[in-house]
Amino acid sequence: MEFNKHLENIKSYEAGKPIELVVREFGLDPKDIIKLASNENPFGCSKTVQDAVSKIVKNMALYPDDSMLKLKNALAKRFRVDVKNIIIGSGSDQVIEFIVHAKLDENSSVLMNSITFAMYEIYAKQVGAKIVRTSSQEHDLDEFYEMYKTHKPSVIFICTPNNPTGDAVDAKSLLEFLSKIDENTLVVIDGAYMEYAIGKDKSKEITPKQIVDSFNNVIYLGTFSKAYGLGGMRVGYGVACESIINPLYKLRPPFNITTLSLEAASVALEDEEFVEDSIENNFNEMKRYEEFALTNSIEIIQSYTNFVTLCLNDTQNSSQLADSLLKKGMIVRDLSGYGLNAIRVTIGTPFQNDKFFELTPQFL
Ligand SMILES: *Cc1c(COP(=O)(O)O)cnc(C)c1O
């Protein structure tokens, strides 16, 4: 049977291995498995979210509120924008999908960093768009600008902080870059880890309000999957001026966010303390990863996220290391698929990180 020809060139997204799979493959007890592979919050989510969701768990027969006003109002208040500037997706992944389908086709191109979030490419390939990448590992905005002038892409993805490397661009330079881009090129600022970046260094902070107030060709993306600890609920958002948000709505399937997810995300925004504590643990524990790297002569990329990228030397092999750790019940992300001899490790609880520091040296 024949399918859409664009699908032939797509390699399916490889998610971090779920705990259930490791249980089956290695016969380990689920409670002995530590997953540091998908940048989830190791503390779970706020207790107030759990309570709120438990209270409405009986309301599953009715379709969700498709206006999503409770969540949109909460986001609008937090970011000081209008509800009309917000679109909600089943994860910010879905908003990326809307953007790609709204702006790209076989005759257009998309510009992204040499190493960045894999889903940009996968969605772009679905519509047959040409993919153009910069050459430097970190986002180099001068190079982005040169390539923008040459290729005239319809969409530019800027992932800051970047996944899977953890580095972030300077906000002032980014705003300068944005001001030079033609209004028919849509720039996507993917801020999936922005809460962490702000917790470490304010000069990396880009706010949705800045974007809405100053640009009619830029969209800011955020998610509840990382700092808010709601990866399982699938809620993300895009913030932009109405002339961008309205066309994206034409691609949104009805009821794309469940009743429980809408409630979870709305309540999660109220518990700032939970997020602050998570961020504090993150950067305290990150120092321990930096010391670990130094002691074991591994290079660590300066990170503004809830993960660290450890670059191995030529005598070491990231796939082997990830496999060896997996057999011991520790799931990390091998980055060989990105052309890096490196692993990405989500910063866990102190206990989980101890385990990583204990296990890893024997495999180096
Ligand atoms: C995790 C992540 C997302 C989206 O996650 P969702 O769970 O779909 O909201 C988007 N961009 C980057 C860079 C990410 O790491």
Side-chain angles (χ1 to χ4, degrees), residues 139-314:
H139 280 69
D140 174 345
L141 294 176
D142 294 331
E143 191 188 4
F144 263 89
Y145 187 59
E146 286 309 312
M147 294 191 76
Y148 154 76
K149 282 192 295 187
T150 311
H151 296 276
K152 292 275 169 244
S154 302
V155 175
I156 303 176
F157 282 104
I158 304 281
C159 187
T160 184
N162 192 24
N163 180 7
T165 48
D167 54 288
V169 298
D170 175 58
K172 204 163 144 264
S173 317
L174 180 54
L175 293 173
E176 249 169 59
F177 169 81
L178 294 175
S179 68
K180 293 188 292 190
I181 304 301
D182 179 82
E183 68 168 19
N184 200 28
T185 296
L186 178 58
V187 187
V188 182
I189 310 286
D190 186 342
Y193 302 94
M194 192 57 83
E195 292 88 354
Y196 292 99
I198 298 167
K200 181 169 185 170
D201 181 349
K202 280 274 190 189
S203 76
K204 308 291 185 188
E205 178 175 22
I206 295 284
T207 67
K209 184 167 173 57
Q210 282 172 319
I211 298 304
V212 171
D213 286 352
S214 315
F215 305 100
N216 58 11
N217 63 333
V218 184
I219 183 165
Y220 178 93
L221 304 184
T223 179
F224 287 91
S225 301
K226 308 289 159 59
Y228 289 95
L230 292 176
M233 296 307 262
R234 314 302 306 121
V235 192
Y237 52 88
V239 187
C241 66
E242 274 183 82
S243 61
I244 296 174
I245 296 296
N246 294 344
L248 298 184
Y249 263 100
K250 300 182 184 182
L251 293 154
R252 187 184 70 91
F255 310 117
N256 59 326
I257 315 295
T258 70
T259 305
L260 300 189
S261 301
L262 287 169
E263 179 69 6
S266 311
V267 174
L269 277 178
E270 288 163 19
D271 191 352
E272 288 181 38
E273 200 180 319
F274 172 79
V275 175
E276 281 166 17
D277 290 348
S278 300
I279 293 172
E280 190 182 318
N281 169 76
N282 185 67
F283 289 112
N284 287 338
E285 292 295 301
M286 190 183 286
K287 289 198 198 92
R288 299 178 64 214
Y289 277 89
E290 287 162 358
E291 282 157 22
F292 174 83
L294 195 65
T295 314
N296 290 278
S297 310
I298 304 172
E299 193 196 325
I300 186 168
I301 300 175
Q302 162 95 298
S303 170
Y304 295 87
T305 63
N306 63 343
F307 59 83
V308 287
T309 300
L310 301 170
C311 303
L312 306 183
N313 66 40
D314 295 343

